[in-house]
Amino acid sequence: MRRLIQFSVAAGVGVLMLALWRLGESPEGGPVRAEPPAMKHKSYKQTIPDTKTTFEMIAIPGGTYKMGSPAGEKDRKDDEGPQHPVAIRPFWMGKCEVTWDEFDLFWRAHPGQKEDKEPENPKNADAVTRPTPPYADETFKKGREGKPVLCITQHTAMQYCRWLSVKTGKIYRLPTEAEWEYACRAGTTTAYSFGDDPKKLGEYAWFADNADEKTHTVGTKKPNPWGLHDMYGNVCEWCLDHYDAKYYSRFPLDKPTLSPVLLPTEKRFPHVTRGGSWGDEAKDCRSAARLSSELDWMKQDPQRPRSIWWLTDADFVGFRVVRPVEEQDNLKGLRSKITRQSPVD
Amino acid sequence: MSSSDTNRDSASRRDFLKATTVAAGAALVSNLVPAVHAAGSDQIKVGVIGCGGRGSGAADNVLHAAKNVSIVALGDVFKFQVDGLRNRLTNLGKSDAIKQKGNSVDVEGRCFVGLDAYKQVIDSGANYIILATTPGFRPIHLQAAVAAGKNIFTEKPVGVDGPGIRKVLEAAEEAQKKGLHIVAGTQRRHQRLYVETMKRIHDGAIGDIVAGRDYWMQGLLWQRISELPKHPEITTEVGKQIFNWYNHTWLCGDHIVEQHVHNIDVLNWAIGAHPESAVGMGFRTRTDPRFGHIYDFFAIDYKFPKDVHTLSMCRQISNCASEIGEYMVGTKGTCHTADRHTYLIDGKPLFTRKELKEQPDPYVQEHTDLIESIRSGKPINELKRVAESTLTAIMGRMSAYTGKQVSWEQALNSKEDTMPKDLTWDMQLSEAPVAIPGKTPLI
């Protein structure tokens, strides 16, 4: 409890409310389904300035949950445990995965120009470095309009968020792994947010059984209980965190850890991706399933240094954005540290 | 050696056998002892000519391709490129993965800069030359490396015009006589599942091929004029054009030659011949002079023997339909191949996701195959084949630029030598005009 009080003092009223809500939680069993506190923030539609392109952001209440899967869950892997309580501050999450329609506005703003160093604090979104043109069909013939961006590095996803932040004046970033699973579960404790039966996955997700080896227009399957689409399948989604198979063993099991994140560094790999993709079986789309990025995802890059923007062998990874209501201290001013000199292993 | 290395090495041996089976006939001269099989040692001593992104990639690849490989010399027209690669390789040489293979980097005193750097690299004591400069220089580099009796990894394309390809075909013949080992950077020929798919086609899986189509349609590629301020040392017109090489036909060949040659090569491979003639069209929608004078789209109808036609489309315009891949239509079925992820016959995947994922990196494999050919004394010589695929692309470009039908002989015997005469770093060089179909003459 001491730790929690420190948080409350440090982070102010919002987290205090969160702490009060936690009182409804049973320390032994799973979380009691207490009503989330009335949210001050509301879902909204964001127009990307100077364009007609919009995307929707869903308000996600703060709260606590058990991150990871219980030891008895079918198809569970060791890296999903131990299950540990986590507290999450309120935030917004993209209703859908980021599409090429949005992403093209970012990376094609200066056609054909190679990247350059950007100023420390760019005030103009055009100053944010952006992907160099790839020697490839970056859509991997999986479609562009309405389809999720794919085969990009975590650095690219982070730079998109930076560009979007400068452009809109709001903080957009990748979700932490803890935020991602929290939003994916949407208050549920089953293998999927619709229960434990993988036979129902086809109603919610484009995955190996129904995707026909490609991505599909975002938001065309049923949403999860909080209104988020394609949390399972379509593309697996970049999180902010580095991947560590034993990461969960670092946390106390008897009290929630607030907003854990394994901060990204100058290393290009490994990072966490979540939710499974068009190519994954149902078991790899479970709420707790984790997939780590690796050098193999860009093994066919013929250039050195390897591109920091485009992957070559991961036509299944994309991302969605989140926006914190109040940014956690260790993410304030966070920027990707990746450069062309960054090590790959 | 780790177990994965063992697997890879044995897998590569199998692939090499497959690849040579497919290529059998034209390339193998098994009764000749290779002249340059390093006496008393099978150390591969690599000289890299062209230290840009691809040359740097190839240098990295060769160090991962086999044991007992050393990079001994570097050359480029730009000092910053040589310095960049030397630094990267010095770091790479310290890595455990490289040391464990007994591989090393020692280029001190053998880093050369300038238009003649290629000669110095060839004379540096290297016995394995990587040619990865801009394509316009490839024919003279190939001639020099073959004349010096070196084994060669040459990037594609191997030329940008008829006169250049004639030099390459002469070099191919000379290399054959000398028993030299040459692999070209059309890496699909060394990509496990492409090789396996082609084997099935050649075994009759889709019957006789009666038509084909292939694509490299992507967004706008780069220009480097806006980067010139970072390189105040580049003051001459020749230097600037080489720096911005993609956008100049004499250096790049245009993107149909530089990039689309990959897909064109796959269709030549599948059909087992080069086309007899081409009728093509294309032009450019871009007007920005930083993008030189190359086109940004081409569509070529190639006529192969037995009146088999293929349609070859390439484009570099953003916000348009994009695709890279090849389609073969046979009397009994169809085949679709694309890059590293699509191998279908009659719409059905030939391989599992696991097999796709486990494909070895073809950019490493092509060096593994070349080194294995050197060490086994069984010459592999892909030069004629890649010269033909390159000329196929050039023939298409010539047709699009002029608007005329162009035959294989017209392309091969073309007098259009795009290389500036008596090229020097400081010479006056004007920007070539944009070709106008119906007006630009066929030379």
Side-chain angles (χ1 to χ4, degrees):
Chain A
M1 208 52 200
R2 194 168 132 214
R3 186 178 174 144
L4 194 61
I5 289 166
Q6 282 174 348
F7 283 142
S8 304
V9 172
V13 178
V15 175
L16 187 58
M17 284 179 62
L18 169 63
L20 290 171
W21 179 41
R22 276 200 59 257
L23 297 177
E25 184 186 317
S26 131
E28 307 84 33
V32 171
R33 289 295 295 275
E35 285 301 309
M39 284 190 287
K40 285 189 176 170
H41 65 307
K42 291 192 164 46
S43 301
Y44 64 97
K45 185 182 276 190
Q46 174 75 58
T47 301
I48 298 180
D50 312 320
T51 76
K52 288 178 179 159
T53 303
T54 62
F55 60 92
E56 289 183 64
M57 295 295 287
I58 303 290
I60 307 292
T64 62
Y65 78 114
K66 279 200 170 169
M67 187 173 181
S69 56
E73 187 168 302
K74 192 168 180 296
D75 295 316
R76 175 187 198 259
K77 290 182 183 162
D78 286 349
D79 67 352
E80 296 168 26
Q83 247 191 330
H84 56 288
V86 163
I88 297 291
R89 294 181 170 91
F91 63 105
W92 290 269
M93 183 176 243
K95 181 179 175 182
C96 295
E97 291 156 345
V98 174
T99 63
W100 287 106
D101 311 70
E102 297 151 46
F103 186 79
D104 285 346
L105 298 169
F106 156 61
W107 80 279
R108 286 193 170 147
H110 288 297
Q113 190 165 337
K114 307 278 275 187
E115 92 274 27
D116 207 338
K117 282 213 172 79
E118 67 185 59
E120 197 57 35
N121 291 301
K123 293 187 175 65
N124 178 350
D126 284 348
V128 176
T129 58
R130 72 207 63 227
T132 50
Y135 294 85
D137 162 20
E138 66 277 2
T139 69
F140 287 75
K141 203 172 180 264
K142 296 193 194 305
R144 182 174 291 275
E145 287 80 15
K147 308 294 191 305
V149 176
L150 47 77
C151 218
I152 50 151
T153 64
Q154 196 225 27
H155 170 75
T156 300
M158 285 184 71
Q159 286 298 99
Y160 172 82
C161 294
R162 257 172 65 68
W163 170 83
L164 190 60
S165 300
V166 178
K167 198 102 183 142
T168 59
K170 299 167 186 157
I171 298 173
Y172 286 101
R173 60 164 168 79
L174 292 179
T176 66
E177 183 177 19
E179 287 168 338
W180 193 96
E181 184 174 331
Y182 174 71
C184 176
R185 289 188 172 281
T188 67
T189 57
T190 41
Y192 306 94
S193 58
F194 51 80
D196 286 317
D197 185 4
K199 290 199 186 75
K200 288 176 73 182
L201 184 59
E203 298 172 33
Y204 297 86
W206 297 107
F207 70 116
D209 287 5
N210 64 1
D212 194 22
E213 299 282 311
K214 57 179 190 268
T215 55
H216 292 263
T217 301
V218 300
T220 52
K221 290 286 184 182
K222 285 185 189 172
N224 81 354
W226 286 352
L228 301 165
H229 290 269
D230 305 307
M231 293 300 282
Y232 308 125
N234 219 15
V235 285
C236 59
E237 300 173 11
W238 285 117
C239 295
L240 263 185
D241 306 54
H242 266 307
Y243 174 82
D244 173 0
K246 298 196 185 316
Y247 185 49
Y248 296 179
S249 62
R250 299 186 195 182
F251 302 106
L253 303 182
D254 56 346
K255 56 188 175 187
T257 303
L258 180 66
S259 305
V261 57
L262 190 55
L263 289 172
T265 64
E266 73 288 348
K267 285 182 69 171
R268 298 203 201 189
F269 302 101
H271 293 102
V272 174
T273 70
R274 287 299 208 112
S277 75
W278 56 266
D280 283 315
E281 296 170 37
K283 65 184 169 68
D284 296 318
C285 297
R286 288 172 302 108
S287 295
R290 312 171 73 199
L291 180 66
S292 171
S293 66
E294 54 184 348
L295 178 58
D296 218 37
W297 290 15
M298 61 190 317
K299 76 175 169 193
Q300 294 187 63
D301 188 332
Q303 308 263 335
R304 297 292 183 278
R306 291 176 177 88
S307 174
I308 61 174
W309 303 105
W310 305 99
L311 300 169
T312 58
D313 294 72
D315 52 354
F316 49 79
V317 65
F319 69 107
R320 76 177 71 214
V321 300
V322 296
R323 177 186 168 201
V325 170
E326 224 179 293
E327 185 60 294
Q328 60 193 75
D329 281 345
N330 59 352
L331 295 185
K332 282 179 182 163
L334 180 80
R335 291 176 58 165
S336 169
K337 295 184 170 68
I338 301 295
T339 69
R340 275 161 67 84
Q341 280 69 47
S342 296
V344 291
D345 43 21
Chain B
M1 183 189 260
S2 72
S3 61
S4 65
D5 277 344
T6 312
N7 290 340
R8 219 225 359 227
D9 286 352
S10 62
S12 69
R13 218 162 281 132
R14 284 196 304 278
D15 281 346
F16 172 70
L17 289 173
K18 279 181 206 155
T20 49
T21 306
V22 172
L28 294 179
V29 187
S30 54
N31 58 343
L32 281 177
V33 176
V36 291
H37 192 250
S41 154
D42 64 353
Q43 191 183 29
I44 300 294
K45 290 184 274 187
V46 182
V48 183
I49 299 172
C51 299
R54 183 72 270 271
S56 300
D60 184 316
N61 298 146
V62 75
L63 286 173
H64 288 90
K67 292 179 162 186
N68 203 9
V69 174
S70 182
I71 295 188
V72 299
L74 307 178
D76 197 285
V77 294
F78 295 119
K79 183 170 185 300
F80 78 90
Q81 295 283 45
V82 174
D83 291 346
L85 181 53
R86 183 178 54 209
N87 290 340
R88 283 194 290 281
L89 284 178
T90 303
N91 289 333
L92 184 63
K94 291 174 190 157
S95 78
D96 290 340
I98 300 302
K99 283 188 197 159
Q100 277 162 14
K101 283 184 180 292
N103 296 345
S104 60
V105 175
D106 179 12
V107 296
E108 281 320 302
R110 289 181 299 278
C111 292
F112 308 104
V113 175
L115 285 170
D116 282 342
Y118 73 97
K119 295 179 184 167
Q120 294 161 290
V121 171
I122 288 170
D123 292 340
S124 67
N127 58 17
Y128 184 111
I129 302 295
I130 290 175
L131 298 180
T133 65
T134 59
F137 295 108
R138 200 93 70 233
I140 58 170
H141 292 174
L142 277 164
Q143 273 188 322
V146 168
K150 306 296 181 187
N151 297 315
I152 300 166
F153 171 80
T154 175
E155 257 311 329
K156 42 47 61 177
V158 290
V160 297
D161 53 27
I165 293 301
R166 293 200 296 276
K167 288 191 179 85
V168 176
L169 289 172
E170 284 166 20
E173 209 165 304
E174 187 184 340
Q176 188 98 347
K177 283 181 191 149
K178 289 181 169 175
L180 302 181
H181 305 253
I182 303 179
V183 161
T186 33
Q187 82 285 349
R188 285 164 178 76
R189 299 262 189 170
H190 298 265
Q191 191 162 341
R192 179 185 290 171
L193 301 185
Y194 255 103
V195 172
E196 178 59 30
T197 303
M198 281 299 157
K199 185 169 179 299
R200 295 189 196 193
I201 288 179
H202 293 149
D203 287 346
I206 61 169
D208 295 331
I209 294 179
V210 292
R213 56 188 204 278
D214 57 320
Y215 306 98
W216 192 308
M217 302 193 296
Q218 64 156 81
L220 182 68
L221 205 55
W222 53 261
Q223 52 78 23
R224 288 191 182 132
I225 296 300
S226 41
E227 282 182 88
L228 266 175
K230 284 194 289 183
H231 294 281
E233 75 278 13
I234 303 174
T235 54
T236 71
E237 188 57 26
V238 169
K240 287 175 189 170
Q241 289 198 15
I242 295 177
F243 185 65
N244 194 36
W245 65 271
Y246 208 96
N247 300 290
H248 298 276
T249 301
W250 71 278
L251 291 160
C252 159
D254 212 321
H255 64 100
I256 184 174
V257 177
E258 208 283 330
Q259 236 174 5
H260 192 35
V261 66
H262 281 297
N263 319 99
I264 286 170
D265 180 60
V266 169
L267 281 187
N268 285 4
W269 185 11
I271 295 171
H274 63 72
E276 296 168 341
S277 62
V279 177
M281 55 190 72
F283 204 57
R284 60 190 261 144
T285 61
R286 55 182 86 165
T287 52
D288 187 334
R290 294 179 300 179
F291 288 97
H293 62 101
I294 65 167
Y295 279 8
D296 50 22
F297 67 93
F298 293 90
I300 315 289
D301 174 355
Y302 286 111
K303 180 178 182 295
F304 283 77
K306 300 182 193 168
D307 211 28
V308 169
H309 286 251
T310 66
L311 175 63
S312 242
M313 304 210 292
C314 59
R315 175 163 63 192
Q316 289 185 348
I317 305 176
S318 301
N319 305 316
C320 296
S322 55
E323 175 166 8
I324 297 172
E326 307 87 25
Y327 297 80
M328 282 67 76
V329 181
T331 50
K332 293 182 191 163
T334 59
C335 178
H336 174 198
T337 49
D339 227 322
R340 59 219 64 163
H341 48 78
T342 303
Y343 310 90
L344 311 172
I345 284 186
D346 294 335
K348 294 188 183 64
L350 297 178
F351 310 107
T352 62
R353 274 197 100 203
K354 186 164 177 285
E355 287 172 309
L356 292 180
K357 184 173 160 50
E358 288 173 356
Q359 270 204 99
D361 178 351
Y363 297 101
V364 174
Q365 190 66 45
E366 54 197 2
H367 291 278
T368 305
D369 292 347
L370 175 54
I371 292 171
E372 188 142 318
S373 128
I374 293 168
R375 289 182 174 159
S376 66
K378 295 178 191 154
I380 179 174
N381 184 345
E382 300 180 344
L383 198 49
K384 179 166 185 280
R385 188 269 294 159
V386 73
E388 288 177 350
S389 291
T390 304
L391 188 65
T392 305
I394 293 169
M395 177 168 70
R397 182 198 72 212
M398 289 171 69
S399 178
Y401 275 12
T402 62
K404 304 286 193 290
Q405 174 171 312
V406 179
S407 71
W408 184 260
E409 290 70 29
Q410 282 174 306
L412 182 61
N413 299 317
S414 166
K415 294 187 169 52
E416 185 181 32
D417 189 348
T418 59
M419 177 65 70
K421 201 167 182 309
D422 302 323
L423 181 73
T424 62
W425 196 249
D426 301 320
M427 73 187 290
Q428 294 296 309
L429 185 63
S430 55
E431 177 90 33
V434 175
I436 309 288
K439 291 185 178 165
T440 296
L442 182 66
I443 301 171

